[in-house]
Every structure is written in structure tokens, then in C-alpha cells.
Amino acid sequence: MCGIIGACLSSHVCRNFVIGEIVFNGLLRLEYRGYDSAGVAVIGDKLLVKKGKGKLSELDARLDFKGLRGCVGIGHTRWATHGVPNDVNAHPHVDCRNAFAVVHNGVLENFVELKRMLQSRGHVFASDTDTEVIPHLVEEYYYRTGDVFKSFKEAVKALKGTYAILLVTPLEPFKIFFAKKDSPLIIGLGEGFNLLASDIPAVLPHTRKVVVIRDNWAGFITPSEAYAEDLASGEPVELVKYARTVEWSISEAEKSGYPHFMLKEIYEQPRAVMETVYGALRDRLITQAVELLVNAEKVYITGAGTSFHAAEHFSITGTRLAGKPVISFISSEYDTFLPGAGEGDVLIVVSQSGETMDSLKALRAFKGRGVKIISVSNVIDSAIPRESHVTLYTRAGPEIGVAATKTFTTQTILLTYLAVRLGEAIGQLDSGDKEKILGSITSAGELVKKTLEDTGGLARKLASSISRSSSAYYLSRGVGVPVAKEGALKIKEIAYVHAESYPAGESKHGPIALVESSFPVVFVIPNDSYLETLLLGNIEEMKARGAYAIGVGAEGSRAMELVNEFIPVPRAHWALTPITHTIPLQLLAYYAAVEKGLDPDKPRNLAKTVTVE
Ligand code: F6R
């Protein structure tokens, strides 16, 4: 789960740009993928590698990445899997003769065997990483073949696991070699230069023309050419067929004056939600997805983290609006659910990045049993959409902050619409109900805008007290439960406040034992009279034990009088609870983190795209 970038410049472009700056600035845009150490290699007169432990800006101050000269360079920002974060384990890694430098995102399952074999042939290793076997393998094959590309391909074929790899060498000073399996990699095509990167925002300042590299391709870029082969067939790939133009603008991938990406992305939600709704209303693939779901014997839905909370939302709305039971499970737990699945079933995989390994594994395992796959993703052509039968895209734009915000609200609005269409197709939803929900869905962008306007100040005020608490509960019922879980996840990961979420009814069966004077309990109160009545009882129970109750509910809710603090959100159909009620919880977490002096964009130990199991 690291970020990698490579830049190959013609001598003309090279005169006007510093390679170190291009690589460093690209890495800054990939830092959300990992930030415990980083490094850069350039080919100047010879191979030069600079790397170390720490965040990019600190390292640049120490090592001057930006000052590196040359026409070809690669860089890496790391989220450690094998080997602690330190200077030696930072990438790039080199072979014994300092002839091949490699950056890698992924995990090599057979590195121990490969390392032993290479050591027995005299190779000396410097680090504890799995990656270091790659340059040594290339070195080993190069002794035999004298051909860099052949040696690189042989080395790649020997690897088991996941990888996006870039390699540079003074033996071929105007090329960057690449290979990919299960970890993302794109080519950015330019005039007088070509780039490689883990994600599109890293190349956007230079080009919008990209090729999403597919699994088992290996190739190279030069300043004027991009070449790839399918390793399975040995045939060249016609890359022009895969080139496409990215619609995002660079400002969408930048902070635009906000202090953090997370806050910017929270405030982008009116547009993101509106565009997702417009996209869904026009998307013919929704009809295909609905057909699959109507005919499905069993419907499963999965995801990880925030995407799992969106999945749970569909499990509730699919059942309530369409009368179709939907089994939700966390993607890393897929093998528990696999034995019950087979032909005739459908699995929906929710993943903003489309690259999460746990979700990809679940997809592959279910597909292997003949299950039809519908995916919901924010990244076109990413791994999960590519392997799905039907993909529905959210239109959130790039999400850089590590904590998911706008991708959750866009996932849930899209899935709510899918549930409505399913209910309509099954004949479960009467036209009056349908009109009411569709009314809320089509005005969802406005609802989000109003929620932001109404709740920002109060969330900021409450953040200061919640940031001082060591623990909190987030409780709700029914459609509010995934939202409460999402609120707890946000404050945990961003502000490091220990928060647990329960269906409120369950809180009596143990969790209430922890509640004492001033213990914060956040109640998510959906706009549903029955659920609200039940929650009023739960609020009373918690308050009777001294809890400090914070309610998030529709303006005029009966809970207003009961709780210590009430955050009013616009009154909308209950199915839109994630759209209205999540936003103050995102802001609460954001401001609590800022209050504690933490960087909400880069929470410790986390990476945005988790491409390891
Ligand atoms: C939480 C968060 C993560 C992701 C999870 C799945 O704020 O961002 O929990 O939701 O890693 O990622 P995707 O949706 O890319 O599969």
C-alpha cells in the first residue's frame, strides 16, 4: 500500500524541468497511500538513490529530493508491510552492484524462498523487505541474458504475490521498466515525456491522458514511447486502445484553500452527491444491475471499513424498500459466507478505490462459484470494476484524505437509488413512497449543502469537549446503525478517541456498564417515528447513568428536549439518513483531530488504499 511514481523526460523537457521536483511533487500526491518513509532514484551520470524514514517534506529538507538532476527518476512513499519503517527498508532498493533500482507496491509471498536462493548464489541483502529480492533477481538474470527487459520479465515471472514495480538502470538510461499484478499502476502519456504512477492525481499536473495498466502486463516507457506485453501470452499490448482522458481537473485533486483535504472533501459533498445522483439517473447499467438483483436467489453485499458501512446501508434499504433480504459481510470475512453462495446469486462489492485486496479476494472467490458481481466504485477501470459483471460508479472525484467522507455519502445515495429501483421492479414500492424517496434523492445535493451550513458551527463547538474524552459511544437503530458506525470509525481513526458503536437496543446488554458521569454518547436519530420512539427510551437510559447525550436528528425531533446537545439536520426521507446525519459526525471527528493538533489527512498507521490482506 505504497505510492510509486516514475518520470521519463526527453533531453529537451529535461532542460526546463528538474526531475527531482517532478518525482517529489508526484509523491506528495500519493502520500495518502503511505508515509512512513520515502525515497527517490535518478539516472544521471550513474544511478543515485536517496531515501530515509519520515514524511516526505521532512525528508526533502534533509536529502533534497527536489534538487536531483537527470532525465529519468522513480520515487516511492511507503506504508510498511515487511520490515519496520527505517532508512534501510525505505525504497528504492538496489542490487549488489548498484545497477538496478526498484520501487514496489504490494506484497511478495515467496520472497523468503527467493531470498534464500539468491543468498546461496552470493547476493548480499541490505534490508528486511520483500522488495529487495527484485533488483537482485534482475541482476541474477542479467548475468545470464545481458538483456535488461528479458531479465526484468524473468524476474517478474518468478514473483508470487501482488505488485506494481518500477525499475531504472544506467544500462538503459532512458527507460523505466514496469510490471503490475493486483496493485494499481497507470501510465501518464505526455509530449516529450511519459510517466508512471500508482494513481491518477500524481500525473494530473502534467497530463490527462492515461492508460490504466492491467494485471500481468510488463513493459517500459521512454520519453516518446510506452510499450507493454501481456506476460501470459508474450504478445504486445495495443496501448492506444486503452488510453483515455481523465475528466477531473487538477484543482479537484488539490486543497483549494482548505487547510486539509478531509475538510475540502467534506465540503465537496453537495457537488459529489448531486453528480452521483445525476449519473445514476442516466446510467443504463442500473437497469442491468436491477435485473440481476430481481432474479437473484440470494443477494450478498460486502466492503471494508467505510465501504462496509455503505454495504450495510443497502442491506437495510434493500430489505425495507424492496423486500429483498440482503446479506452483508465484511470483505475480509468472505470465506465464512462462501460455502452458501453459488450460481443464481449476486454479490455487490463496494469499494471507493476499487483496489482493496480483501474486497477483491471476496469478489474472486464468489465469482469462482458462479456468483454474478455488481460493483460500486469511485475509480474507473480499477481492479474491482474490471473483474465485475456490472459496475456502478460514484462521481465523488478523487478522495485524497485518508478517511473516507464524500465517497461514503456518494456510495450510500447510489445504493439508496438502487434499492428504490429494485423495490419498484419487484413491485414492493408503491408509487407514493417511490415519489417521496425520489424527491429526497434528487434534492440530495441541496440537503447536504443545508446540512453543512446548519451543523458546521455546532460540530466545531462540540468537538472541543469530545476531543478531551478518552471514550465515546455512537448508538442508533435501523437505518441509523451504519451511520453511527461510520461516526465512531471517523473519530477513532482521525482523532484517536476510542469510540464504539452499537445498535442502541444492544447497548443495555453490556456496554452501558462503562457509562458514568459525562461519558459522551452520540445518538443518530433517523427520521422514522418508530425508531425515534425507541431511541427516546435509550437516551433516557443513558442519561439516567450520567451520560452526556449528543443527538443528531431531524429539525423538530422529539429527542431535542431530552439530549444535552442536539445537532439538527434537514428533515428528509429515512432512507437518506447517511446523507444528512453523517455530515456532522464527519465534522465532529475532523474538528476533534484539529483540536488535538493531529493531521486528519494522515492518521497514524493507516493508508488509504489497503492492497494487502
Ligand atoms: C475509513 C476508510 C477505510 C476504507 C476501507 C475500504 O475512513 O477510508 O476504512 O473505507 O479501507 O476502502 P475502499 O472503499 O477503497 O475499498
Side-chain angles (χ1 to χ4, degrees):
M1 232 135 49
C2 308
I4 62 177
I5 180 153
C8 235
L9 316 181
S10 67
S11 44
H12 175 68
V13 174
C14 207
R15 272 198 290 278
N16 300 319
F17 293 91
V18 181
I19 191 86
E21 263 183 34
I22 293 179
V23 172
F24 176 78
N25 290 332
L27 286 178
L28 281 180
R29 287 167 194 278
L30 296 171
E31 212 181 3
Y32 70 89
R33 302 178 64 85
Y35 35 82
D36 57 42
S37 50
V40 176
V42 294
I43 308 286
D45 300 335
K46 56 184 174 96
L47 175 64
L48 182 64
V49 175
K50 289 193 176 188
K51 60 182 190 172
K53 180 183 173 195
K55 288 191 181 166
L56 271 165
S57 45
E58 295 155 15
L59 284 168
D60 182 49
R62 187 149 57 86
L63 302 172
D64 191 20
F65 290 147
K66 286 200 294 238
L68 287 168
R69 297 262 164 191
C71 291
V72 169
I74 56 174
H76 185 274
T77 180
R78 180 168 188 245
W79 187 85
T81 55
H82 290 86
V84 294
N86 62 24
D87 290 352
V88 177
N89 289 336
H91 297 212
H93 291 284
V94 296
D95 63 309
C96 303
R97 290 184 166 75
N98 210 31
F100 303 101
V102 165
V103 292
H104 164 223
N105 169 28
V107 176
L108 302 180
E109 287 160 16
N110 61 340
F111 88 98
V112 176
E113 297 91 292
L114 291 172
K115 190 168 176 174
R116 264 194 219 122
M117 179 277 285
L118 288 160
Q119 280 170 328
S120 74
R121 298 185 58 80
H123 292 261
V124 178
F125 283 75
S127 77
D128 303 321
T129 64
D130 52 348
T131 303
E132 200 186 343
V133 298
I134 305 169
H136 288 283
L137 268 178
V138 178
E139 180 186 25
E140 180 67 22
Y141 289 117
Y142 187 74
Y143 286 145
R144 300 183 206 167
T145 63
D147 179 312
V148 177
F149 190 37
K150 260 193 202 154
S151 314
F152 178 67
K153 286 188 287 185
E154 283 310 307
V156 170
K157 284 182 193 161
L159 305 175
K160 288 200 185 116
T162 62
Y163 46 81
I165 302 166
L166 305 183
L167 174 140
V168 287
T169 170
L171 297 163
E172 297 261 19
F174 303 107
K175 283 185 183 159
I176 301 177
F177 296 88
F178 66 82
K180 172 204 153 26
K181 185 173 158 284
D182 291 332
S183 298
L185 192 62
I186 59 136
I187 306 175
L189 299 164
E191 295 288 324
F193 66 89
N194 283 309
L195 306 166
L196 287 152
S198 300
D199 201 357
I200 293 168
V203 304
L204 267 186
H206 311 289
T207 180
R208 285 177 165 217
K209 205 167 165 198
V210 302
V211 172
V212 177
I213 299 173
R214 307 306 206 248
D215 278 348
N216 298 316
W217 286 6
F220 54 82
I221 58 166
T222 69
S224 56
E225 185 195 1
Y227 174 84
E229 278 177 25
D230 184 329
L231 281 180
S233 65
E235 293 297 317
V237 177
E238 222 185 306
L239 283 178
V240 275
K241 275 199 343 211
Y242 293 88
R244 64 181 187 85
T245 304
V246 178
E247 285 166 19
W248 307 337
S249 66
I250 185 65
S251 69
E252 281 179 286
E254 283 179 340
K255 281 190 206 155
S256 312
Y258 284 91
H260 298 103
F261 280 112
M262 183 178 176
L263 191 62
K264 176 191 171 233
E265 286 159 5
I266 289 173
Y267 276 89
E268 274 174 356
Q269 289 179 107
R271 181 200 56 76
V273 164
M274 194 181 71
E275 285 184 7
T276 300
V277 170
Y278 286 167
L281 293 173
R282 286 176 186 76
D283 191 351
R284 295 212 195 103
L285 291 176
I286 293 259
T287 310
Q288 271 184 38
V290 169
E291 257 170 46
L292 285 175
L293 292 170
V294 169
N295 296 319
E297 277 167 39
K298 288 194 286 304
V299 177
Y300 295 89
I301 187 162
T302 195
T306 292
S307 289
F308 172 65
H309 300 153
E312 283 194 305
H313 174 70
F314 185 75
S315 162
I316 293 163
T317 45
T319 311
R320 268 188 82 175
L321 298 175
K324 186 105 189 171
V326 179
I327 305 160
S328 58
F329 62 89
I330 289 179
S331 56
S332 57
E333 290 291 312
Y334 72 87
D335 39 10
T336 307
F337 293 83
L338 191 60
E343 274 178 33
D345 296 339
V346 170
L347 171 70
I348 307 175
V349 183
V350 187
S351 173
Q352 88 79 20
S353 62
E355 301 286 348
T356 297
M357 186 49 70
D358 290 328
S359 305
L360 189 57
K361 286 270 188 154
L363 179 159
R364 287 178 179 161
F366 274 65
K367 199 173 168 187
R369 292 178 72 96
V371 173
K372 287 273 183 292
I373 310 292
I374 299 170
S375 56
V376 173
S377 181
N378 193 42
V379 182
I380 293 172
D381 273 352
S382 53
I384 288 171
R386 284 205 306 272
E387 298 192 27
S388 304
H389 296 101
V390 176
T391 299
L392 307 176
Y393 284 106
T394 51
R395 288 159 197 245
E399 190 176 67
I400 310 291
V402 165
T405 52
K406 60 178 178 169
T407 53
F408 178 69
T409 43
T410 51
Q411 285 167 345
T412 47
I413 197 74
L414 183 59
L415 288 165
T416 308
Y417 180 62
L418 185 63
V420 171
R421 291 283 306 270
L422 183 60
E424 179 189 37
I426 289 178
Q428 173 82 8
L429 204 58
D430 69 42
S431 57
D433 256 2
K434 188 184 131 192
E435 288 320 308
K436 268 195 220 141
I437 307 178
L438 281 180
S440 284
I441 291 177
T442 46
S443 60
E446 282 302 309
L447 286 171
V448 177
K449 191 161 172 260
K450 180 147 184 3
T451 311
L452 281 165
E453 283 162 8
D454 292 355
T455 63
L458 195 47
R460 192 173 195 157
K461 188 186 116 199
L462 293 175
S464 115
S465 68
I466 206 157
S467 70
R468 289 193 295 273
S469 308
S470 55
S471 270
Y473 283 147
Y474 281 64
L475 306 180
S476 189
R477 284 180 179 258
V479 69
V481 171
V483 176
K485 287 189 184 175
E486 180 57 10
L489 176 63
K490 286 295 90 110
I491 201 148
K492 211 163 10 196
E493 63 180 342
I494 300 299
Y496 311 151
V497 174
H498 171 239
E500 285 189 76
S501 176
Y502 292 95
E506 181 66 9
S507 63
K508 307 186 292 288
H509 300 283
I512 200 165
L514 287 186
V515 175
E516 50 188 22
S517 177
S518 305
F519 188 99
V521 183
V522 178
F523 285 91
V524 174
I525 307 152
N527 182 23
D528 173 309
S529 180
Y530 172 68
L531 296 178
E532 184 186 46
T533 305
L534 291 173
L535 280 165
L536 295 179
N538 300 126
I539 295 171
E540 295 277 21
E541 286 156 16
M542 286 291 166
K543 282 200 68 190
R545 272 94 189 159
Y548 188 75
I550 300 172
V552 180
E555 284 151 348
S557 158
R558 285 174 282 153
M560 274 177 86
E561 306 303 319
L562 274 187
V563 291
N564 300 85
E565 296 285 352
F566 187 77
I567 308 181
V569 296
R571 195 166 274 280
H573 191 278
W574 61 261
L576 273 83
T577 307
I579 302 300
T580 45
H581 294 52
T582 310
I583 282 155
L585 303 183
Q586 295 169 343
L587 288 167
L588 197 60
Y590 171 79
Y591 287 119
V594 172
E595 184 78 24
K596 289 172 94 165
L598 302 168
D599 179 351
D601 286 342
K602 296 193 193 80
R604 69 183 172 216
N605 303 337
L606 294 178
K608 184 149 190 74
T609 308
V610 186
T611 50
V612 291
E613 262 184 281

Coordinates of all heavy atoms in Angstrom, one line a residue, residues 421-457:
R421 N -35.0 1.4 -7.1 CA -35.3 0.8 -8.4 C -35.6 -0.7 -8.2 O -36.4 -1.2 -9.0 CB -34.1 1.0 -9.3 CG -33.8 2.4 -9.8 CD -34.8 2.9 -10.9 NE -34.8 1.9 -12.0 CZ -33.9 2.1 -13.0 NH1 -33.1 3.1 -13.1 NH2 -34.0 1.2 -14.0
L422 N -34.9 -1.3 -7.3 CA -35.2 -2.7 -7.0 C -36.6 -2.9 -6.5 O -37.4 -3.8 -6.9 CB -34.2 -3.3 -6.0 CG -34.2 -4.7 -5.7 CD1 -34.0 -5.6 -6.9 CD2 -33.1 -5.1 -4.7
G423 N -37.0 -2.0 -5.5 CA -38.3 -2.1 -4.9 C -39.4 -1.9 -6.0 O -40.4 -2.5 -6.0
E424 N -39.1 -1.0 -6.9 CA -40.1 -0.7 -8.0 C -40.2 -1.9 -8.9 O -41.3 -2.3 -9.2 CB -39.5 0.5 -8.8 CG -40.3 1.0 -9.9 CD -39.5 2.0 -10.7 OE1 -38.2 1.9 -10.8 OE2 -40.1 2.9 -11.2
A425 N -39.0 -2.5 -9.2 CA -39.1 -3.7 -10.2 C -39.8 -4.9 -9.5 O -40.5 -5.6 -10.2 CB -37.6 -4.0 -10.6
I426 N -39.6 -5.0 -8.3 CA -40.2 -6.2 -7.6 C -41.7 -5.9 -7.3 O -42.5 -6.8 -7.1 CB -39.4 -6.5 -6.3 CG1 -38.1 -7.0 -6.6 CG2 -40.2 -7.4 -5.3 CD1 -37.2 -7.3 -5.4
G427 N -42.1 -4.6 -7.4 CA -43.5 -4.3 -7.1 C -43.8 -4.1 -5.6 O -44.9 -4.1 -5.2
Q428 N -42.7 -3.9 -4.9 CA -42.8 -3.7 -3.4 C -43.1 -2.3 -3.0 O -43.7 -2.0 -2.0 CB -41.5 -4.2 -2.8 CG -41.4 -4.0 -1.3 CD -42.1 -5.1 -0.5 OE1 -42.5 -6.1 -1.1 NE2 -42.2 -5.0 0.8
L429 N -42.7 -1.4 -3.9 CA -42.7 0.0 -3.5 C -43.9 0.7 -4.2 O -44.0 0.7 -5.4 CB -41.4 0.7 -4.0 CG -40.9 1.9 -3.4 CD1 -40.7 1.7 -1.9 CD2 -39.6 2.3 -4.0
D430 N -44.9 1.3 -3.4 CA -46.0 1.9 -4.1 C -45.5 3.3 -4.7 O -44.5 3.8 -4.2 CB -47.2 2.0 -3.3 CG -47.1 2.9 -2.1 OD1 -46.6 4.0 -2.3 OD2 -47.5 2.6 -1.0
S431 N -46.4 3.8 -5.6 CA -45.9 5.0 -6.3 C -45.7 6.2 -5.4 O -44.9 7.0 -5.6 CB -46.8 5.3 -7.5 OG -48.1 5.5 -7.0
G432 N -46.6 6.3 -4.3 CA -46.5 7.4 -3.4 C -45.1 7.4 -2.7 O -44.4 8.4 -2.6
D433 N -44.8 6.2 -2.2 CA -43.5 6.0 -1.5 C -42.3 6.4 -2.4 O -41.4 7.0 -2.0 CB -43.3 4.6 -1.0 CG -43.6 4.4 0.4 OD1 -43.9 5.4 1.1 OD2 -43.5 3.2 0.9
K434 N -42.4 5.8 -3.6 CA -41.4 6.0 -4.6 C -41.2 7.5 -4.8 O -40.0 7.9 -4.8 CB -41.7 5.2 -5.9 CG -40.6 5.2 -6.9 CD -41.1 4.5 -8.1 CE -40.6 5.4 -9.3 NZ -41.2 5.0 -10.5
E435 N -42.3 8.2 -5.0 CA -42.1 9.6 -5.3 C -41.5 10.3 -4.2 O -40.6 11.2 -4.4 CB -43.5 10.2 -5.6 CG -44.1 9.8 -7.0 CD -43.0 9.8 -8.1 OE1 -42.3 10.7 -8.3 OE2 -43.0 8.7 -8.8
K436 N -41.8 10.0 -3.0 CA -41.3 10.7 -1.8 C -39.8 10.4 -1.7 O -39.0 11.4 -1.5 CB -41.9 10.1 -0.5 CG -43.1 10.9 0.0 CD -43.4 10.5 1.4 CE -44.9 10.4 1.5 NZ -45.4 9.3 2.4
I437 N -39.3 9.2 -1.9 CA -37.9 8.9 -1.8 C -37.2 9.6 -3.0 O -36.1 10.2 -2.8 CB -37.6 7.4 -1.8 CG1 -38.4 6.7 -0.7 CG2 -36.1 7.2 -1.5 CD1 -38.2 5.2 -0.7
L438 N -37.7 9.4 -4.2 CA -37.1 10.0 -5.3 C -36.9 11.5 -5.2 O -35.9 12.1 -5.5 CB -37.8 9.7 -6.6 CG -37.5 8.3 -7.2 CD1 -38.3 8.0 -8.5 CD2 -36.0 8.0 -7.4
G439 N -37.9 12.1 -4.5 CA -37.9 13.6 -4.3 C -36.7 13.9 -3.4 O -35.9 14.8 -3.7
S440 N -36.5 13.1 -2.3 CA -35.3 13.3 -1.5 C -34.0 13.0 -2.2 O -33.0 13.8 -2.0 CB -35.4 12.4 -0.2 OG -36.4 12.9 0.7
I441 N -34.0 12.0 -3.0 CA -32.8 11.6 -3.7 C -32.4 12.7 -4.7 O -31.2 13.2 -4.7 CB -32.9 10.3 -4.4 CG1 -33.0 9.1 -3.4 CG2 -31.7 10.0 -5.4 CD1 -33.2 7.7 -4.0
T442 N -33.4 13.2 -5.4 CA -33.0 14.2 -6.4 C -32.6 15.6 -5.8 O -31.9 16.4 -6.4 CB -34.1 14.5 -7.5 OG1 -35.3 14.6 -6.8 CG2 -34.2 13.3 -8.5
S443 N -33.1 15.8 -4.6 CA -32.6 17.0 -3.9 C -31.5 16.8 -2.9 O -31.2 17.6 -2.0 CB -33.8 17.7 -3.2 OG -34.3 16.8 -2.2
A444 N -30.9 15.6 -3.0 CA -29.8 15.2 -2.0 C -28.7 16.2 -1.9 O -28.2 16.5 -0.8 CB -29.3 13.8 -2.3
G445 N -28.3 16.7 -3.1 CA -27.2 17.7 -3.1 C -27.5 18.9 -2.2 O -26.7 19.4 -1.4
E446 N -28.8 19.4 -2.4 CA -29.3 20.6 -1.6 C -29.3 20.2 -0.1 O -29.0 21.0 0.8 CB -30.7 21.0 -2.1 CG -30.7 21.8 -3.4 CD -29.8 23.0 -3.2 OE1 -30.0 23.8 -2.2 OE2 -28.9 23.2 -4.1
L447 N -29.8 19.0 0.2 CA -29.9 18.5 1.6 C -28.5 18.6 2.2 O -28.3 19.0 3.4 CB -30.4 17.1 1.7 CG -31.9 16.9 1.4 CD1 -32.3 15.4 1.3 CD2 -32.7 17.6 2.5
V448 N -27.5 18.1 1.5 CA -26.1 18.1 2.0 C -25.6 19.5 2.3 O -25.0 19.8 3.3 CB -25.2 17.3 1.1 CG1 -23.8 17.3 1.6 CG2 -25.7 15.9 0.9
K449 N -25.9 20.3 1.3 CA -25.5 21.7 1.4 C -26.1 22.4 2.7 O -25.4 23.0 3.5 CB -26.0 22.5 0.2 CG -25.4 23.8 0.0 CD -25.5 24.3 -1.5 CE -25.1 25.7 -1.6 NZ -26.2 26.6 -1.7
K450 N -27.4 22.2 2.9 CA -28.0 22.8 4.0 C -27.5 22.1 5.3 O -27.3 22.9 6.3 CB -29.5 22.5 3.9 CG -30.3 23.1 5.1 CD -31.7 23.6 4.6 CE -32.5 24.3 5.7 NZ -32.0 24.5 7.0
T451 N -27.2 20.8 5.3 CA -26.7 20.2 6.5 C -25.3 20.8 6.8 O -25.1 21.1 8.0 CB -26.5 18.7 6.2 OG1 -27.7 18.1 5.7 CG2 -26.2 17.9 7.5
L452 N -24.5 21.0 5.8 CA -23.2 21.6 6.1 C -23.3 23.0 6.7 O -22.7 23.4 7.7 CB -22.4 21.7 4.8 CG -21.7 20.4 4.4 CD1 -21.3 20.5 2.9 CD2 -20.5 20.1 5.2
E453 N -24.3 23.8 6.1 CA -24.5 25.2 6.6 C -25.0 25.1 8.1 O -24.5 25.9 8.9 CB -25.5 25.9 5.7 CG -24.9 26.3 4.4 CD -26.0 26.7 3.4 OE1 -27.2 26.7 3.8 OE2 -25.7 26.8 2.2
D454 N -25.9 24.2 8.3 CA -26.6 24.2 9.6 C -25.7 23.6 10.8 O -25.9 23.9 11.9 CB -27.9 23.5 9.6 CG -28.9 24.2 8.7 OD1 -28.6 25.3 8.3 OD2 -30.0 23.6 8.5
T455 N -24.8 22.7 10.4 CA -24.2 21.9 11.5 C -22.7 22.2 11.8 O -22.2 21.8 12.8 CB -24.3 20.4 11.2 OG1 -23.6 20.1 10.0 CG2 -25.8 20.0 11.1
G456 N -22.1 22.9 10.8 CA -20.6 23.1 10.9 C -20.2 23.8 12.2 O -19.3 23.3 12.9
G457 N -20.9 24.9 12.6 CA -20.6 25.6 13.8 C -20.7 24.8 15.1 O -19.8 24.7 15.9

